[in-house]
Structures are given as C-alpha cells and as structure tokens.
Amino acid sequence: CDGIFDCLDYSDECNHDCDNQVKIFKDRSIFILACSLGFWATFLNISVMIKGFANYSSLKTAAAKINEAFVLVVSTGDLLQGVYLLLVAVSDEFMNKSTCKTQFEWVTSYMCTALGIISTVGSLVSLYSMTILSLFRAQGVRSMHIPQENLNKRHKISLLGSIIGIYSLACLVAFSPTFSYLNSYFVELLKYDSNP
C-alpha cells in the first residue's frame, strides 16, 4: 500500500487493505456532506431562478433588471456546482468496489471529463458574474445622484454581451483540457504523478 502500482493488474495496491485509498470519497461523512450540499445547492438555486424569472418583468429600472440578471447568472453557476456534487456522489456509489482497478480508466472517461467541465463552468460562471455584478454595483453607488432610467437598447446590448462573455470564457477554460494538444498533458501527467 505504498501508492505505487508495481503490478500490471494493480493487485499490489488493489486489495482489501488498500482499496479505500482510491475512492472518490474516502470518508462516508464527506460523501453524505457532498450529497446534502449538492441537493440543497440544486434545490435552492432552482428556487432562486424561478423567483427571479417570475419577478424580472415587474422590475422598473435598468439597475434593478441588470442586478437581477446577474443574480440569475450566479444562480446558474451555483446550480451547476450542486449538480456536480450529486453526480460525483452517484459516480462514487457506482464505482464503490472497483475504483482502485479502474481509476486510470475513470480519469480518462467521458463521465469524469463531463464532471470536470460542469464543475469548472459552474465555478467560473459564478466567479465572473459576481465580479461583474460587483463592478456594476460599485458604478451604481458612484452614480446614485443620477435619475434611474429604464432598460434601453445600450443596456440590453451590454448586458447580453457580458452574459455571453461570461459563459464563453468559462466554457473555453473548462473545455481546454479536452483539446487534443492539451489532453495528453492533463491525463498523462495525472498518471505519472500517481505512479512515480
């Protein structure tokens, strides 16, 4: 159980004494925490999104509509994180006994890749939209003395451009490990690090 796979069939590391070393969740309490956080993140963000979409048309000022739009974007990113946690927990349960022998197949599988993309997109969408929302709110504080205006064409274009930019940049970063010229770096490096 030294963490180095000396045998081709992994029998030196994948036995009864060592099998727990390669589970996704080594501790059952962390598994339960991931399930509960995933459930609540998914449920609460869906609730925020339903409420936000229902109330959006009743908002009067451009500032209120832009603020609500970015809150909805943050919610989509956080929703992806909840879905990610639930999917990782489900994957851990399906691979419960065989994770040790299939760990290298797992890290190169489509499911693992999809989970990485979901997690990265969710994190970056939340981060980027909170950053833009903070900048927008700072701008709003500076111009409090200016009368509030309705959402005009310029506001709509900049809002739509910001949202498209947020998702585009998040997807570019998230999908970059799947590009053929980077894929070997991410996957092969993981194999080498796991087996020096």
Coordinates of all heavy atoms in Angstrom, one line a residue, residues 19-73:
D19 N -7.8 -0.8 -0.9 CA -8.9 -0.4 -1.8 C -9.4 1.0 -1.4 O -9.8 1.8 -2.3 CB -10.0 -1.4 -1.9 CG -10.9 -1.1 -3.1 OD1 -10.3 -0.7 -4.1 OD2 -12.1 -1.3 -3.0
N20 N -9.5 1.3 -0.1 CA -10.1 2.6 0.3 C -9.3 3.8 -0.1 O -9.7 4.9 -0.1 CB -10.4 2.6 1.8 CG -11.8 2.2 2.1 OD1 -12.6 2.0 1.2 ND2 -12.0 1.9 3.4
Q21 N -8.0 3.6 -0.5 CA -7.1 4.7 -0.8 C -7.5 5.5 -2.1 O -7.1 6.6 -2.2 CB -5.7 4.3 -0.9 CG -5.1 3.8 0.4 CD -3.6 3.4 0.3 OE1 -3.1 3.4 -0.8 NE2 -3.0 3.1 1.4
V22 N -8.3 4.8 -2.9 CA -8.5 5.4 -4.2 C -10.0 5.7 -4.5 O -10.4 6.1 -5.6 CB -8.0 4.6 -5.4 CG1 -6.5 4.6 -5.4 CG2 -8.5 3.2 -5.3
K23 N -10.8 5.6 -3.5 CA -12.2 6.0 -3.6 C -12.3 7.5 -3.8 O -11.5 8.3 -3.4 CB -13.0 5.6 -2.4 CG -13.3 4.1 -2.3 CD -14.0 3.8 -1.0 CE -15.4 4.4 -0.9 NZ -16.3 4.0 -2.0
I24 N -13.4 8.0 -4.5 CA -13.6 9.4 -4.7 C -13.8 10.0 -3.3 O -13.2 11.1 -3.0 CB -14.8 9.7 -5.6 CG1 -14.5 9.1 -7.0 CG2 -15.1 11.1 -5.6 CD1 -15.7 9.2 -8.0
F25 N -14.6 9.4 -2.5 CA -14.8 9.9 -1.1 C -14.3 8.9 -0.2 O -14.8 7.8 0.0 CB -16.3 10.1 -0.8 CG -17.0 11.2 -1.6 CD1 -17.8 10.9 -2.7 CD2 -16.7 12.5 -1.4 CE1 -18.4 11.8 -3.4 CE2 -17.3 13.5 -2.1 CZ -18.2 13.1 -3.2
K26 N -13.2 9.2 0.5 CA -12.6 8.2 1.4 C -13.4 8.0 2.7 O -13.3 7.0 3.3 CB -11.1 8.6 1.7 CG -10.2 8.5 0.5 CD -8.8 9.0 0.8 CE -8.0 9.0 -0.5 NZ -6.7 9.4 -0.2
D27 N -14.0 9.1 3.1 CA -14.8 9.1 4.3 C -16.3 9.2 4.0 O -16.7 10.0 3.2 CB -14.3 10.3 5.2 CG -14.9 10.3 6.6 OD1 -15.7 9.4 6.9 OD2 -14.5 11.2 7.3
R28 N -17.1 8.3 4.6 CA -18.5 8.3 4.4 C -19.2 9.6 4.8 O -20.1 10.1 4.2 CB -19.1 7.2 5.2 CG -20.5 6.8 4.8 CD -20.6 6.3 3.4 NE -22.0 6.0 3.0 CZ -22.3 5.7 1.8 NH1 -21.5 5.6 0.9 NH2 -23.6 5.4 1.5
S29 N -18.6 10.3 5.8 CA -19.2 11.6 6.2 C -19.0 12.6 5.2 O -19.9 13.5 5.0 CB -18.6 12.0 7.6 OG -17.3 12.2 7.4
I30 N -17.9 12.6 4.4 CA -17.7 13.6 3.3 C -18.7 13.3 2.2 O -19.2 14.2 1.5 CB -16.3 13.5 2.8 CG1 -15.4 14.0 4.0 CG2 -16.1 14.4 1.6 CD1 -13.9 13.9 3.7
F31 N -19.0 12.0 1.9 CA -19.9 11.6 0.9 C -21.3 12.1 1.3 O -22.0 12.7 0.4 CB -20.0 10.0 0.8 CG -21.1 9.5 0.0 CD1 -21.0 9.5 -1.4 CD2 -22.3 9.0 0.6 CE1 -22.1 9.1 -2.2 CE2 -23.3 8.6 -0.2 CZ -23.2 8.6 -1.6
I32 N -21.7 12.0 2.5 CA -23.0 12.5 3.0 C -23.1 14.0 2.9 O -24.1 14.6 2.4 CB -23.3 12.0 4.4 CG1 -23.5 10.5 4.4 CG2 -24.5 12.7 5.0 CD1 -23.5 9.8 5.8
L33 N -22.0 14.7 3.2 CA -21.9 16.1 3.1 C -22.1 16.6 1.7 O -22.8 17.5 1.4 CB -20.6 16.6 3.7 CG -20.4 18.1 3.7 CD1 -21.4 18.9 4.6 CD2 -19.0 18.5 4.2
A34 N -21.4 15.9 0.8 CA -21.4 16.2 -0.7 C -22.9 16.0 -1.2 O -23.4 16.9 -1.9 CB -20.5 15.4 -1.5
C35 N -23.5 14.9 -0.8 CA -24.9 14.7 -1.2 C -25.8 15.8 -0.7 O -26.7 16.3 -1.4 CB -25.4 13.3 -0.7 SG -24.7 11.9 -1.5
S36 N -25.7 16.2 0.6 CA -26.6 17.2 1.1 C -26.3 18.5 0.5 O -27.3 19.3 0.2 CB -26.5 17.2 2.7 OG -25.3 17.5 3.1
L37 N -25.0 18.9 0.4 CA -24.7 20.2 -0.2 C -25.2 20.2 -1.7 O -25.7 21.2 -2.1 CB -23.2 20.5 -0.2 CG -22.7 20.8 1.2 CD1 -21.1 20.9 1.1 CD2 -23.2 22.1 1.7
G38 N -25.0 19.1 -2.4 CA -25.5 19.1 -3.8 C -27.0 19.2 -3.9 O -27.5 19.9 -4.7
F39 N -27.7 18.5 -3.0 CA -29.2 18.6 -3.0 C -29.6 20.0 -2.7 O -30.4 20.6 -3.5 CB -29.8 17.6 -2.0 CG -31.3 17.9 -1.8 CD1 -32.2 17.4 -2.8 CD2 -31.7 18.6 -0.7 CE1 -33.5 17.6 -2.6 CE2 -33.1 18.8 -0.6 CZ -34.0 18.3 -1.5
W40 N -29.1 20.6 -1.7 CA -29.6 22.0 -1.3 C -29.1 23.0 -2.3 O -29.9 23.9 -2.6 CB -29.1 22.3 0.1 CG -29.9 21.6 1.2 CD1 -29.5 20.6 2.0 CD2 -31.3 21.8 1.4 NE1 -30.5 20.1 2.8 CE2 -31.6 20.8 2.5 CE3 -32.3 22.6 1.0 CZ2 -32.9 20.8 3.0 CZ3 -33.6 22.5 1.5 CH2 -33.9 21.6 2.5
A41 N -27.9 22.9 -2.8 CA -27.5 23.9 -3.8 C -28.4 23.8 -5.1 O -28.7 24.8 -5.7 CB -26.0 23.6 -4.2
T42 N -28.7 22.6 -5.5 CA -29.6 22.4 -6.7 C -31.0 22.9 -6.4 O -31.5 23.7 -7.1 CB -29.6 20.9 -7.0 OG1 -28.3 20.4 -7.3 CG2 -30.5 20.7 -8.3
F43 N -31.6 22.5 -5.3 CA -32.9 22.9 -4.9 C -33.0 24.4 -4.7 O -33.9 25.1 -5.3 CB -33.4 22.2 -3.7 CG -34.7 22.6 -3.2 CD1 -35.9 22.3 -3.8 CD2 -34.8 23.4 -2.0 CE1 -37.1 22.7 -3.3 CE2 -36.0 23.8 -1.5 CZ -37.2 23.5 -2.2
L44 N -32.2 25.0 -4.0 CA -32.3 26.4 -3.7 C -32.0 27.3 -4.9 O -32.6 28.3 -5.1 CB -31.3 26.8 -2.5 CG -31.7 26.2 -1.2 CD1 -30.7 26.5 -0.1 CD2 -33.1 26.7 -0.7
N45 N -31.0 26.9 -5.7 CA -30.7 27.7 -6.9 C -31.9 27.6 -7.9 O -32.1 28.6 -8.6 CB -29.4 27.3 -7.5 CG -28.3 28.0 -6.7 OD1 -28.1 29.2 -6.7 ND2 -27.5 27.2 -6.0
I46 N -32.5 26.5 -8.0 CA -33.7 26.4 -8.9 C -34.8 27.3 -8.4 O -35.4 28.0 -9.1 CB -34.2 24.9 -9.0 CG1 -33.2 24.1 -9.9 CG2 -35.6 24.9 -9.6 CD1 -33.5 22.6 -9.9
S47 N -35.0 27.3 -7.1 CA -36.0 28.2 -6.5 C -35.6 29.7 -6.7 O -36.5 30.5 -7.1 CB -36.0 28.0 -4.9 OG -36.4 26.7 -4.6
V48 N -34.4 30.1 -6.6 CA -33.9 31.5 -6.9 C -34.2 31.8 -8.4 O -34.7 32.9 -8.7 CB -32.4 31.7 -6.5 CG1 -31.9 33.0 -7.1 CG2 -32.3 31.6 -5.0
M49 N -33.9 30.9 -9.2 CA -34.1 31.1 -10.7 C -35.6 31.3 -11.0 O -36.0 32.1 -11.8 CB -33.4 30.0 -11.5 CG -31.9 30.0 -11.4 SD -31.1 28.6 -12.1 CE -31.4 28.8 -13.8
I50 N -36.4 30.4 -10.5 CA -37.9 30.5 -10.7 C -38.4 31.8 -10.2 O -39.1 32.6 -11.0 CB -38.6 29.3 -10.1 CG1 -38.3 28.0 -10.8 CG2 -40.1 29.6 -10.0 CD1 -38.8 26.8 -10.1
K51 N -38.0 32.2 -9.0 CA -38.5 33.5 -8.5 C -37.9 34.7 -9.3 O -38.6 35.6 -9.6 CB -38.0 33.6 -7.0 CG -38.5 34.9 -6.3 CD -38.0 35.0 -4.9 CE -38.3 36.3 -4.3 NZ -37.5 36.6 -3.2
G52 N -36.7 34.6 -9.7 CA -36.0 35.7 -10.4 C -36.7 35.9 -11.8 O -37.0 37.0 -12.2
F53 N -37.0 34.8 -12.5 CA -37.6 34.9 -13.8 C -39.0 35.4 -13.7 O -39.5 36.2 -14.5 CB -37.6 33.5 -14.5 CG -36.3 33.2 -15.2 CD1 -35.6 32.0 -14.8 CD2 -35.7 34.0 -16.1 CE1 -34.4 31.7 -15.4 CE2 -34.5 33.7 -16.7 CZ -33.9 32.6 -16.3
A54 N -39.7 35.0 -12.6 CA -41.1 35.4 -12.4 C -41.2 36.9 -12.1 O -42.1 37.6 -12.5 CB -41.7 34.6 -11.3
N55 N -40.2 37.4 -11.3 CA -40.2 38.8 -10.9 C -39.5 39.8 -11.9 O -39.6 41.0 -11.7 CB -39.6 39.0 -9.5 CG -40.4 38.3 -8.5 OD1 -41.6 38.1 -8.6 ND2 -39.7 37.9 -7.4
Y56 N -38.8 39.2 -12.9 CA -38.0 40.1 -13.7 C -38.8 41.2 -14.5 O -38.4 42.3 -14.5 CB -37.2 39.2 -14.7 CG -36.2 40.0 -15.5 CD1 -34.9 40.2 -14.8 CD2 -36.4 40.5 -16.8 CE1 -34.0 41.0 -15.5 CE2 -35.4 41.2 -17.4 CZ -34.2 41.4 -16.8 OH -33.2 42.1 -17.4
S57 N -39.9 40.8 -15.0 CA -40.7 41.7 -15.8 C -41.3 42.9 -15.0 O -41.6 43.9 -15.5 CB -41.8 41.0 -16.6 OG -42.7 40.4 -15.7
S58 N -41.5 42.6 -13.7 CA -42.1 43.7 -12.8 C -41.0 44.7 -12.3 O -41.4 45.7 -11.7 CB -42.7 43.0 -11.6 OG -41.8 42.4 -10.8
L59 N -39.8 44.4 -12.6 CA -38.7 45.4 -12.2 C -38.8 46.6 -13.1 O -39.0 46.5 -14.3 CB -37.4 44.8 -12.2 CG -37.2 43.5 -11.3 CD1 -35.8 42.9 -11.6 CD2 -37.3 43.9 -9.9
K60 N -38.6 47.8 -12.5 CA -38.9 49.0 -13.2 C -37.6 49.7 -13.8 O -37.6 50.2 -14.9 CB -39.5 50.1 -12.3 CG -40.9 49.6 -11.7 CD -41.9 49.5 -12.8 CE -43.2 49.1 -12.1 NZ -44.0 48.3 -13.0
T61 N -36.5 49.6 -13.1 CA -35.3 50.4 -13.5 C -34.3 49.5 -14.2 O -34.3 48.3 -14.0 CB -34.6 51.1 -12.3 OG1 -34.2 50.1 -11.4 CG2 -35.6 52.0 -11.6
A62 N -33.4 50.1 -14.9 CA -32.4 49.3 -15.6 C -31.4 48.7 -14.6 O -31.0 47.6 -14.7 CB -31.6 50.3 -16.5
A63 N -31.1 49.4 -13.5 CA -30.3 48.9 -12.5 C -30.8 47.6 -11.8 O -30.1 46.7 -11.6 CB -30.0 50.0 -11.4
A64 N -32.1 47.7 -11.5 CA -32.8 46.5 -10.9 C -32.8 45.3 -11.9 O -32.5 44.2 -11.4 CB -34.2 46.9 -10.5
K65 N -33.0 45.6 -13.1 CA -33.1 44.5 -14.1 C -31.7 43.9 -14.3 O -31.5 42.7 -14.4 CB -33.7 44.9 -15.4 CG -35.2 45.1 -15.3 CD -35.8 45.4 -16.7 CE -37.3 45.5 -16.4 NZ -38.1 45.0 -17.5
I66 N -30.7 44.7 -14.4 CA -29.3 44.2 -14.6 C -28.8 43.5 -13.4 O -28.2 42.4 -13.5 CB -28.3 45.4 -14.9 CG1 -28.7 46.0 -16.3 CG2 -26.9 45.0 -14.9 CD1 -28.0 47.3 -16.7
N67 N -29.1 44.0 -12.2 CA -28.8 43.3 -11.0 C -29.4 41.9 -10.9 O -28.8 40.9 -10.6 CB -29.2 44.1 -9.8 CG -28.8 43.5 -8.5 OD1 -27.6 43.4 -8.2 ND2 -29.8 43.2 -7.7
E68 N -30.7 41.8 -11.2 CA -31.4 40.6 -11.2 C -30.9 39.6 -12.3 O -30.8 38.4 -12.0 CB -32.9 40.8 -11.4 CG -33.8 39.5 -11.2 CD -33.7 39.0 -9.8 OE1 -33.6 39.8 -8.8 OE2 -33.9 37.8 -9.6
A69 N -30.5 40.1 -13.4 CA -30.0 39.3 -14.5 C -28.7 38.6 -14.0 O -28.5 37.4 -14.2 CB -29.7 40.1 -15.8
F70 N -27.8 39.4 -13.4 CA -26.5 38.8 -12.9 C -26.8 37.9 -11.7 O -26.0 36.9 -11.6 CB -25.5 39.9 -12.6 CG -24.9 40.4 -13.8 CD1 -25.1 41.7 -14.2 CD2 -24.0 39.6 -14.6 CE1 -24.4 42.3 -15.3 CE2 -23.4 40.1 -15.7 CZ -23.6 41.4 -16.1
V71 N -27.8 38.1 -10.9 CA -28.1 37.2 -9.8 C -28.5 35.8 -10.4 O -28.2 34.8 -9.9 CB -29.2 37.8 -8.9 CG1 -29.7 36.7 -7.9 CG2 -28.6 38.9 -8.1
L72 N -29.3 35.9 -11.5 CA -29.7 34.7 -12.2 C -28.5 33.9 -12.8 O -28.5 32.7 -12.8 CB -30.7 35.0 -13.3 CG -32.1 35.4 -12.8 CD1 -33.0 36.0 -13.9 CD2 -32.8 34.3 -12.1
V73 N -27.6 34.7 -13.3 CA -26.4 34.0 -13.9 C -25.6 33.4 -12.8 O -25.1 32.2 -12.9 CB -25.5 35.1 -14.7 CG1 -24.2 34.4 -15.2 CG2 -26.3 35.6 -15.9

